Every structure is written in structure tokens, then in C-alpha cells.
Amino acid sequence: MTRGQVKRRLALLWWRHLAVALAPLLVFNLLFGGGGHTVMSMPMFIAGLASMFVSLPLFSAYKHALIATQQALDSDEEPAAWLELDRVRLRALLGAALPAWIAALAVLAGLEAIPLVLLALSSIVLHSLYRIPRQLG
């Protein structure tokens, strides 16, 4: 694969992971939304906010993989560096999806719309950190 094809594939995978992160929230909200407010809604919101901190070490690993990929460009190690970047980014994207997934579970606890939107937006923002920069390559 050429470098352009790899970057295109990684960009498409990013969109796919974003859809996988937000789909459970949308489906749960359509199926179970509008339920009553329970005692568990606030702890679920706090858990969703706290789950954003999972991304801190994952982002550090992603940043190091980006630097290693940049250094491996135009060498024999370039394909392996792209694979490693993809592996590290997959873990980071799973961590970035946690706030939206916890929000999907919080729908069952009766969490209101504004906190749900905030958790979904936090997942979107975290996902945006893991886009492949244009400067790479």
C-alpha cells in the first residue's frame, strides 16, 4: 500500500470508530429515552466525565507512535510503523468512546438530555485528537 492509501484507510476507520462510539447512545436514546430520573443518573454522569481521563495515557502512547511513524517514513520500517500507529490508535479510540458508551448506559438510568449531549461531545472531541495529522507524510 502506498502512504496515501494508508492515510485514506486510517481516515475512513476514524469515521467508522466515531460512528461505533455514538451509535449505542443514539439507539438507546431512541428505544429507552424519556424514562424517569433515578438516583443513578448523577453517578453515571460523573463516571462518564471521569472516563475522559482514561485518554491521558492513551494519547501519550499515540503521540509517541506518531513521532515514531514520522521518523520511519521513507525507510524499511515504515510499514511496521504504520501498523503500530494503527494498533495504538485503535486502543486510544476505544478509550475515547467511553464517555459516549457510559452515556448510553446512563439513558437507562434516566439521565437528562443536556448531560447526554455533553458526554457525546466529549467523545467527539476526544476522537478528534486521534485523527492522522496532515503533516505526517
Side-chain angles (χ1 to χ4, degrees):
M1 267 194 194
T2 66
R3 190 177 301 158
Q5 290 172 331
V6 169
K7 287 177 74 172
R8 217 171 301 116
R9 181 179 134 310
L10 289 175
L12 288 173
L13 284 174
W14 182 88
W15 282 105
R16 185 178 307 155
H17 287 291
L18 182 63
V20 166
L22 296 176
L25 176 59
L26 295 173
V27 170
F28 277 38
N29 202 20
L30 286 173
L31 296 177
F32 307 112
H37 184 74
T38 66
V39 176
M40 286 302 296
S41 61
M42 184 55 81
M44 292 293 282
F45 179 66
I46 293 170
L49 288 177
S51 71
M52 291 190 306
F53 292 104
V54 170
S55 285
L56 290 175
L58 297 173
F59 182 73
S60 178
Y62 173 71
K63 186 173 56 173
H64 290 298
L66 270 177
I67 293 168
T69 304
Q70 179 70 34
Q71 292 172 347
L73 292 178
D74 298 324
S75 71
D76 292 337
E77 292 85 27
E78 183 176 356
W82 282 111
L83 289 174
E84 178 66 15
L85 177 65
D86 188 30
R87 186 189 65 78
V88 169
R89 191 176 83 143
L90 174 62
R91 289 185 59 200
L93 287 172
L94 290 174
L98 281 177
W101 289 343
I102 292 173
L105 293 176
V107 168
L108 301 174
L111 191 62
E112 299 294 325
I114 292 175
L116 289 175
V117 169
L118 289 174
L119 289 174
L121 284 175
S122 67
S123 273
I124 292 170
V125 168
L126 288 174
H127 268 77
S128 69
L129 294 175
Y130 300 112
R131 293 188 64 128
I132 300 297
R134 291 182 186 148
Q135 295 86 1
L136 187 63

